[in-house]
Amino acid sequence: MATNNETIYIPLEDVESEHCALIVEKGLAQVKGIETYQVELNNRRAAITVNDNEVVGEAVKAIKDLGYGVPTVKQSYPVLGMTCASCAGSAESMVKYAPGVVNAEVNYGTGNLTVEFLPNMTNSEQIRKAVQDGGYDLLLEDENKQQETLEAIHAEKFRKLKNKTIWAVILSLPVVIIGMFFMDMPYGNEIMWAFSTPVVLWLGKDFFINAWKQAKHRSANMDTLVALSTGIAYIFSVFNMLFMDFWHQRGLHAHVYFEAAAVIIAFILLGKLLEEKAKGNTSSAIKKLMGLQPKTVIVIEADGTERQKAIEDVNAGDIILVKPGEKIAVDGMVVSGNSYVDESMLSGEPIPVLKKENEKVFAGTINQKGSFQFKAVKVGKETMLAHIIKMVQDAQGSKAPVQKLVDKIAGIFVPVVISIAILTFILWYFLGGDNGVVQGLLAAVTVLVIACPCALGLATPTAIMVGVGKGAENGILIKDAESLELAKKINAIVLDKTGTITEGRPQVTGIQWLNNDDTTKDVLLSIEKQSEHPLAEAVVKHLEGVSATALSNFDSITGKGAKADYNNDTYYVGNKKLLAENNITIADQLQQQADEWGTQSKTVIWFANSKQALSVVAIADKIKETSVAAIKEMQEMGIDLYMLTGDNEATAKAIALQTGIKHYKAEVLPQHKADFVKELQAQGKMVAMVGDGINDSTALATADVSIAMGKGSDIAMDVAKMTIISSDLTKIPQSIRLSKQTVATIKQNLFWAFIYNLIGIPIAAGILYPINGFLLNPMIAGAAMALSSVSVVSNSLRLKWKK
């Protein structure tokens, strides 16, 4: 049973603009039992949390009552194991409470369960499990995967729309030809009536049905404008055709406008068709990502036999065989064999990566020439690919700050347009002379037709959708629309050193003992084995073969090192500060060696007992090959760069020199990173923080835009608004450029959408008539309206091909 912390996603159809989204949200607000609701326009879904799953059916009904579609799947299955009528009742209630089920009925007479469900939330298998929980079973046929079911529903909708459009164009053509060139032919009006009636009343019936549903809820949308305009033109024409004398007695000619009504519907259907096609392209990034996972895998059984398994049946711990050229199905760890794997679809990096024993492999990546076996670690929704798909979907569904203004305008758009149309008719009626009524009606119809809330509603979301998708294709994961909008304003970037500028895999490059006495090696190893510091791992690796010893009173000292007791003495491992605080002396020979290593940008750590330093260790972390070029590029973009590190001054200075960073801070404790970000913000800078570790998470949360390295810790990735999957710094200038391009596209879209309506509506109302006698034809207005939405979506799609 769904509880109030379960989010239900209801897929939506015909919700084409922010205005429609607001109408749906208002409708959901009135459904009792819905705790929270939000319409994600780009993902074409409503996200609701409910306190009882039976509320889902109410929510779907409310959305359908408003005239919008919810693609649900209705299936019938034979129920096994029922013995009486009460069994039917209990089986029915088990299914009704399953998440994603809209409605369920069990007929005891036929022994069948008829169930309506949301294909993105549940499937036959899950419904079967719900029935099994009640002690019954379902007989299932081979059932299509949920995503494919939704795809099929959309494909069917597109096919119907295409057929409608073709018929509307075919039937409208003779009406236009007669209306334009053969007005006076015998029975011309009747022929036009015969051809336009099926266009208006059959092919355009959805506009009227949806407008009526809106009206019942005291609401109005795009369908209201189309239904009003074409309905008025059609009824007016029928009246003029049947009652010509009404006008003749008043000395006026009775015109018919069947061609306007038919052509407006044909153009708007054509516009919707082109828009659907274009919008399908905006979500191609998600489709590509979803297509990366294979449907079946070869699992090696315990006895060594190979067995083909469906991807849904793979469990963590299964050993999977990957042959050359195959896609890797789930996340795991290589157990035997090796090969190069193409990870470009996740990281955007074109160079294949060598995978050997104990190395991680990820779902969706492609094996090259070798074959290997790996152990499944994360399956289903746990895989990196599944996380990426969810992140991209959530980001595409989020709203950019600029959207708030557009929402307000979209919310009042249709009522304002209807008011303008009425005002237009009144003005023409009183000021238009003999033909005032006819021209007033036509002008009002034209106003209703040319106004387009869709262009406004599509301006921001389509650009965000393409921008987020393009980022994902290039290995830049963007968590929400706000960070994509903010990234263009970044003028200061704070970089963590380890794992961000450098590889993050420190290695011991040298170790010097006092008087060459290394008898306490085992103590050094034992302390470092207990330490959580990344540098400790390098020392442990270097001292392989040395056996550890038992210590007491181990204590980790944040930002300084660690200490422990052994044989009635205290031993310390850490930086020079730790030694100074405990009054430990350092021999000249060790100090000289430490200074020399310091100038070579190596990190120096000390090992000492309670009296004197026993050894000094040099650890180096290689600078990533791409870091220098990336830093230069960011500086050329006019961005101030700051490097923060917990390392000593000498190491920090050497790294800064090698990479060309002008501002750096050494020996910075984790909690002070966030303080430094605040300092920069206080100077009025838009700050981005780039980090990879748990110790960066506070600073990441404080920054205006937070960027995590994909090879870093999960906490950093959870906190950050952007993730660079490949951990390559060159992706940061790329993401800033992407932000600039996306925001520019949003501004262009909004400009055209506003300008279009600001210019189109007054011209449609007849503002030019007193000046030059120009009146806009309603048919032309229909074409212009259809094109406005298409041009906005097409402009967003241009983002795809920008570098």
Side-chain angles (χ1 to χ4, degrees), residues 264-322:
I264 286 165
I265 283 178
F267 270 135
I268 287 166
L269 286 172
L270 180 65
K272 273 184 174 266
L273 186 75
L274 294 171
E275 199 181 293
E276 281 292 318
K277 186 123 181 91
K279 278 196 337 211
N281 290 335
T282 61
S283 61
S284 62
I286 286 278
K287 285 180 191 153
K288 271 188 202 164
L289 286 168
M290 284 178 166
L292 290 174
Q293 209 169 25
K295 300 278 185 284
T296 58
V297 295
I298 296 168
V299 174
I300 309 287
E301 299 289 3
D303 58 2
T305 55
E306 294 179 10
R307 188 163 76 88
Q308 200 166 53
K309 249 189 187 184
I311 183 77
E312 301 83 48
D313 301 332
V314 174
N315 298 311
D318 283 354
I319 303 294
I320 296 167
L321 172 68
V322 185

Side-chain angles (χ1 to χ4, degrees), residues 475 554 662 736 791:
F554 176 84
K662 296 181 183 73
I736 293 169
S791 60

Side-chain angles (χ1 to χ4, degrees), residues 490 492-498 500 642-645 668 670 672-678 680-681 686-709 716 719-724 729 732:
I490 292 170
I493 295 180
V494 178
L495 299 163
D496 173 52
K497 178 184 80 76
T498 309
T500 304
Y642 303 83
M643 179 182 79
L644 300 185
T645 176
V668 180
H672 295 154
K673 287 182 181 177
D675 297 339
F676 183 70
V677 169
K678 283 180 190 159
L680 293 177
Q681 287 169 328
M686 179 67 74
V687 184
M689 169 74 199
V690 188
D692 75 321
I694 293 169
N695 59 2
D696 300 319
S697 52
T698 321
L700 286 168
T702 310
D704 298 297
V705 178
S706 44
I707 304 170
M709 291 294 160
V719 171
K721 292 293 172 71
M722 287 189 189
T723 301
I724 308 293
L729 279 182
I732 294 172

Side-chain angles (χ1 to χ4, degrees), residues 493-514:
I493 295 180
V494 178
L495 299 163
D496 173 52
K497 178 184 80 76
T498 309
T500 304
I501 296 172
T502 62
E503 293 278 5
R505 288 194 297 270
Q507 293 167 328
V508 172
T509 56
I511 184 164
Q512 182 166 338
W513 293 88
L514 181 65

Side-chain angles (χ1 to χ4, degrees), residues 523-533 536 550-557 561-566 570-573:
V523 181
L524 172 61
L525 174 74
S526 305
I527 294 175
E528 291 292 47
K529 261 195 166 162
Q530 289 187 53
S531 172
E532 289 166 359
H533 199 283
L551 304 171
S552 56
N553 302 327
F554 176 84
D555 185 16
S556 181
I557 305 155
K563 66 174 184 172
D565 292 348
Y566 174 72
T570 304
Y571 288 85
Y572 300 87
V573 177

